[in-house]
Amino acid sequence: MLRSTFAHIDLDAIAANYRAITAFVAGESPGGSPPSVIAVVKANAYGHGAGPVARALEQAGAEMLACADIEEAVALRTAGVRAGILVFGAMSVSDLGGLFEHDLVPTISTPTAARAVEAEAARRGTQIRYHLKIDTGMHRLGFRHDSLRQTLPELLASPHLQLAAVYTHFATAEDPEHPLMERQRAAFDGALATLADMGVPPMRRHAANSAAMLRDSRVWFDAVRPGLLLYGVPPPPLATTVLVHPAMRLVSRVVSIKGLRSGESVGYGARYTAALPRRIAVVPAGYADGLDRRLAGRGHVLVGGRRAPIVGSVSMDMITIDVSDVPCAPGDEVVLLGRQGGEVIDVREMAATIGTIPWEVLCRVGTRIERIYNPAEAF
């Protein structure tokens, strides 16, 4: 049985976005072979549903996907994904058996992780290919770019670990005014030179997330790693000429309409009191579905192709909207995210309304929200 609130996920749009990104980096490459595209599907494909999205990307030509941890990667394999899978996260706290049993590519970002993966590979009598992460200024995971001569020799000498690529991650790619990205780019170039001086042969390099890819072709290297842009959302405040389309449309229904007299309030905390008689509609979607409580009194939804403000508190399972000027009836569609008629509420608008980022809005779409895929997926 389908709940009144659910998400339409357009897999054709995601595939088209992947192809548009691939064409963009191919057409704008400064020279040589264009970079490949590592499609990022971590956090349940940014709320869109990792299995169906990963299969759609694979069918669109993606040869490598990336996710946060081994558990996410195993779920992709279980869903039938055969493409290469890069695991971003820390290795030392995971069940390393999954790397070998499911043909995954680990990130080695600490000496502890290197020793753990080496020991597991030795126990199994096999080699495993890995990507080396360099910390150029994010100061999370990664070998410090200025200490490689001291920290890498043990890893590079590991007989069961085969270096396949090296990468870094930018901390401020979405902020064109911040100088850190340029410092990180220079630090990564220096780290690559250090590796060459240490006798490491040339290997694949990658650094650019969606924002960095849009900002600076110098950081495309051999592969780019789009995440948010794959789902049709340019990272704010950036704009893009890459023709991408949002892939999620979050919808619900009007379940009740009632009058509110002057001076009466609605919802928990009586946070909204009508100054004049109003017509209020109840919509069965709340913070348990991923709607932020800060939308109360700030956000809008679409009904009949028109905007209706959210009034009163966002509760666990319901919101109330003011439809005094919007003709509607119980059963009518309500769009929380997406287009209806000539109006649209996109994820960037919703994020700006509540003072957060689009990544959080998408990833918070709740687990009880059923995803309906177009075209329909066979499970």
Side-chain angles (χ1 to χ4, degrees):
M1 181 179 295
L2 185 66
R3 295 182 65 246
S4 295
T5 303
F6 56 96
H8 286 290
I9 308 297
D10 189 342
L11 297 177
D12 284 343
I14 292 173
N17 293 343
Y18 172 83
R19 289 190 290 266
I21 292 168
T22 301
F24 172 72
V25 295
E28 300 292 333
S29 290
S33 299
S36 62
V37 176
I38 300 173
V40 180
V41 294
K42 63 180 181 176
N44 198 29
Y46 290 47
H48 292 70
V53 167
R55 290 195 296 270
L57 287 167
E58 190 174 32
Q59 291 170 7
E63 296 181 355
M64 176 161 276
L65 311 172
C67 60
D69 53 37
I70 294 174
E71 291 73 21
E72 284 190 348
V74 171
L76 292 177
R77 288 286 187 243
T78 302
V81 174
R82 297 181 180 180
I85 301 176
L86 172 63
V87 180
F88 284 144
M91 294 294 109
S92 53
V93 296
S94 298
D95 179 5
L96 297 179
L99 294 174
F100 302 88
E101 294 158 11
H102 297 278
D103 189 24
L104 309 178
V105 179
T107 292
I108 302 295
S109 57
T110 68
T112 301
R115 295 182 191 114
V117 178
E118 163 66 25
E120 184 66 18
R123 188 180 71 81
R124 292 171 178 265
T126 188
Q127 270 197 338
I128 189 168
R129 292 165 58 85
Y130 71 95
H131 288 204
L132 171 66
K133 185 170 187 180
I134 306 295
D135 178 8
T136 56
M138 174 77 88
H139 298 310
R140 297 190 312 185
L141 296 176
F143 290 81
R144 284 188 64 106
H145 68 95
D146 51 2
S147 303
L148 300 180
R149 294 183 188 276
Q150 292 75 42
T151 57
L152 282 187
E154 179 185 357
L155 169 59
L156 296 176
S158 297
H160 298 92
L161 303 182
Q162 182 181 356
L163 179 58
V166 59
Y167 76 94
T168 194
H169 189 50
F170 294 113
T172 60
E174 294 82 24
D175 184 356
E177 303 301 320
H178 203 292
L180 180 57
M181 181 173 163
E182 177 58 25
R183 294 201 298 268
Q184 286 192 261
R185 186 191 67 79
F188 191 55
D189 285 343
L192 294 174
T194 298
L195 289 172
D197 193 53
M198 294 172 66
V200 177
M203 76 213 74
R204 290 177 60 77
R205 306 152 299 161
H206 52 96
N209 61 4
S210 295
M213 186 194 79
L214 295 176
R215 279 185 55 185
D216 191 345
S217 62
R218 292 177 299 170
V219 300
W220 290 359
F221 297 108
D222 302 301
V224 294
R225 305 189 307 261
L228 192 66
L229 198 63
L230 273 177
Y231 306 100
V233 184
L238 303 178
T240 179
T241 59
V242 183
L243 188 61
V244 295
H245 301 281
M248 179 185 291
R249 187 169 180 265
L250 187 61
V251 300
S252 189
R253 299 280 174 187
V254 172
V255 295
S256 176
I257 295 177
K258 62 181 7 176
L260 201 63
R261 296 173 182 169
S262 176
E264 291 182 335
S265 60
V266 64
Y268 285 118
R271 299 182 188 279
Y272 170 79
T273 300
L276 298 170
R278 310 305 295 168
R279 188 166 175 257
I280 301 298
V282 179
V283 180
Y287 61 75
D289 302 298
L291 298 183
D292 196 286
R293 295 181 69 244
R294 289 169 291 180
L295 287 168
R298 301 179 185 177
H300 292 77
V301 301
L302 302 179
V303 185
R306 298 169 64 177
R307 287 177 173 252
I310 299 172
V311 295
S313 297
V314 174
S315 60
M316 183 181 294
D317 308 304
M318 282 180 261
I319 57 173
T320 47
I321 60 176
D322 187 339
V323 292
S324 302
D325 303 316
V326 181
C328 66
D332 284 357
E333 181 187 71
V334 176
V335 173
L336 308 168
L337 273 179
R339 181 176 298 277
Q340 188 186 62
E343 278 282 359
V344 61
I345 296 176
D346 65 26
V347 68
R348 286 176 50 142
E349 175 188 334
M350 183 178 284
T353 297
I354 60 177
T356 188
I357 56 176
W359 296 263
E360 181 181 1
V361 171
L362 291 175
C363 291
R364 287 181 59 182
V365 174
T367 55
R368 74 178 182 181
I369 295 293
E370 185 170 353
R371 275 76 168 167
I372 307 299
Y373 292 96
N374 176 37
E377 279 264 323
F379 292 96

